[in-house]
Amino acid sequence: IDNDVDFIDRSFGFQTAVEAAQAGIRTAKTEAMCNVPNGIGIIKLMGRSAGFLASYAALGSGDVDLVLIPEVPIQLDGPDGILPFLRTRIHEQKYAVVVVAEGAGEELLGVSEELDAGGNRARPKIGEFIRDQISNHFESFGEVATIKYIDPSYTVRSVPANGYDSLYCTQLSQNAVHGAMAGVTGFSTGLVGNKMVYLPIPLLVASSPRVMNPYGRTYERILAMTVIPFV
């Protein structure tokens, strides 16, 4: 669901995960708007190496004030810091919604050497870290931030596939069978340029996971939506 498999247009399950993540964002917004003073909703989404899920969910919702992804370093303080930006935004509209990808902030928290049960490198707890930093920042001004932290975790990954992903998976499986019946081996199938193609598995593995371009159109749209002044 991270959409970080290289070459293909999108991985199966990604659009379903974006829909499920948007439900969490709506919850975060409701919590932020209904809690005073200075309501802030923080939602942590999956995305170990790439910010596709966090970015697309935020863009689709249109309700997010700050998006933190692995591809863009986080600066906390100073004129380009996210903390003074959030405080200003909350003073303007009384609340704020923050989306954090789980892989963001390694430049702040470092790279863990621990491995989880699946053999992946454990990620620092960036969501809790950002929550605490925001709280401390408001306290330094004698103010209180009412923060609601949401981690939907596997409720995003484990929901039933939507109509698009169900059809997509059917097409992928049919294409895989056609390739196998034709004698092709060592391949995967995916959508490239909106066409079903066969892709050598070693090629996919060698260049995955891919990351989102921090200077590309998707992140530019994020900046336009959030109206961050220090880009």
PDB file of all heavy atoms in Angstrom, residues 28 31 67 78 99 123 130 166 178:
ATOM      1  N   ALA A  28      -9.416  12.940  12.463  1.00  0.00           N
ATOM      2  CA  ALA A  28      -8.454  13.866  13.068  1.00  0.00           C
ATOM      3  C   ALA A  28      -8.953  15.302  12.987  1.00  0.00           C
ATOM      4  O   ALA A  28      -8.798  16.080  13.931  1.00  0.00           O
ATOM      5  CB  ALA A  28      -7.097  13.730  12.370  1.00  0.00           C
ATOM      6  N   GLU A  31     -11.783  15.824  15.569  1.00  0.00           N
ATOM      7  CA  GLU A  31     -11.222  15.926  16.911  1.00  0.00           C
ATOM      8  C   GLU A  31     -10.552  17.286  17.119  1.00  0.00           C
ATOM      9  O   GLU A  31     -10.678  17.907  18.177  1.00  0.00           O
ATOM     10  CB  GLU A  31     -10.207  14.803  17.146  1.00  0.00           C
ATOM     11  CG  GLU A  31     -10.823  13.421  17.308  1.00  0.00           C
ATOM     12  CD  GLU A  31     -11.585  13.285  18.608  1.00  0.00           C
ATOM     13  OE1 GLU A  31     -11.284  14.030  19.565  1.00  0.00           O
ATOM     14  OE2 GLU A  31     -12.481  12.431  18.683  1.00  0.00           O
ATOM     15  N   VAL A  67       1.961  18.172   6.017  1.00  0.00           N
ATOM     16  CA  VAL A  67       2.240  16.795   5.621  1.00  0.00           C
ATOM     17  C   VAL A  67       3.732  16.545   5.774  1.00  0.00           C
ATOM     18  O   VAL A  67       4.555  17.257   5.182  1.00  0.00           O
ATOM     19  CB  VAL A  67       1.809  16.531   4.160  1.00  0.00           C
ATOM     20  CG1 VAL A  67       2.079  15.066   3.784  1.00  0.00           C
ATOM     21  CG2 VAL A  67       0.335  16.863   3.962  1.00  0.00           C
ATOM     22  N   GLY A  78      12.758  27.852  14.097  1.00  0.00           N
ATOM     23  CA  GLY A  78      13.305  28.862  13.208  1.00  0.00           C
ATOM     24  C   GLY A  78      12.278  29.359  12.208  1.00  0.00           C
ATOM     25  O   GLY A  78      11.126  28.917  12.204  1.00  0.00           O
ATOM     26  N   VAL A  99      -0.552  15.308   9.010  1.00  0.00           N
ATOM     27  CA  VAL A  99      -0.377  13.931   8.549  1.00  0.00           C
ATOM     28  C   VAL A  99       1.112  13.608   8.560  1.00  0.00           C
ATOM     29  O   VAL A  99       1.920  14.360   7.993  1.00  0.00           O
ATOM     30  CB  VAL A  99      -0.957  13.737   7.133  1.00  0.00           C
ATOM     31  CG1 VAL A  99      -0.561  12.369   6.580  1.00  0.00           C
ATOM     32  CG2 VAL A  99      -2.472  13.869   7.158  1.00  0.00           C
ATOM     33  N   ARG A 123      11.244   1.558  12.848  1.00  0.00           N
ATOM     34  CA  ARG A 123      11.179   2.992  12.626  1.00  0.00           C
ATOM     35  C   ARG A 123      11.056   3.736  13.954  1.00  0.00           C
ATOM     36  O   ARG A 123      10.323   3.305  14.852  1.00  0.00           O
ATOM     37  CB  ARG A 123       9.973   3.333  11.749  1.00  0.00           C
ATOM     38  CG  ARG A 123      10.069   2.781  10.334  1.00  0.00           C
ATOM     39  CD  ARG A 123      11.193   3.445   9.561  1.00  0.00           C
ATOM     40  NE  ARG A 123      11.296   2.919   8.208  1.00  0.00           N
ATOM     41  CZ  ARG A 123      12.223   3.280   7.336  1.00  0.00           C
ATOM     42  NH1 ARG A 123      13.125   4.149   7.683  1.00  0.00           N
ATOM     43  NH2 ARG A 123      12.249   2.757   6.137  1.00  0.00           N
ATOM     44  N   ILE A 130       6.606  14.112  17.198  1.00  0.00           N
ATOM     45  CA  ILE A 130       6.018  15.359  16.706  1.00  0.00           C
ATOM     46  C   ILE A 130       4.943  15.859  17.679  1.00  0.00           C
ATOM     47  O   ILE A 130       4.865  17.059  17.971  1.00  0.00           O
ATOM     48  CB  ILE A 130       5.425  15.153  15.300  1.00  0.00           C
ATOM     49  CG1 ILE A 130       6.546  14.880  14.289  1.00  0.00           C
ATOM     50  CG2 ILE A 130       4.601  16.365  14.868  1.00  0.00           C
ATOM     51  CD1 ILE A 130       7.519  16.017  14.108  1.00  0.00           C
ATOM     52  N   SER A 166     -10.199  -4.077  -6.810  1.00  0.00           N
ATOM     53  CA  SER A 166     -10.707  -5.414  -7.115  1.00  0.00           C
ATOM     54  C   SER A 166     -10.557  -5.720  -8.603  1.00  0.00           C
ATOM     55  O   SER A 166     -10.110  -6.803  -9.001  1.00  0.00           O
ATOM     56  CB  SER A 166     -12.179  -5.530  -6.698  1.00  0.00           C
ATOM     57  OG  SER A 166     -12.316  -5.425  -5.301  1.00  0.00           O
ATOM     58  N   HIS A 178      -1.667 -15.514 -18.284  1.00  0.00           N
ATOM     59  CA  HIS A 178      -1.335 -15.483 -19.712  1.00  0.00           C
ATOM     60  C   HIS A 178       0.178 -15.587 -19.910  1.00  0.00           C
ATOM     61  O   HIS A 178       0.647 -16.306 -20.802  1.00  0.00           O
ATOM     62  CB  HIS A 178      -1.846 -14.182 -20.346  1.00  0.00           C
ATOM     63  CG  HIS A 178      -3.328 -14.119 -20.491  1.00  0.00           C
ATOM     64  ND1 HIS A 178      -4.081 -15.191 -20.914  1.00  0.00           N
ATOM     65  CD2 HIS A 178      -4.201 -13.100 -20.286  1.00  0.00           C
ATOM     66  CE1 HIS A 178      -5.362 -14.845 -20.950  1.00  0.00           C
ATOM     67  NE2 HIS A 178      -5.457 -13.578 -20.570  1.00  0.00           N
TER      68      HIS A 178
END
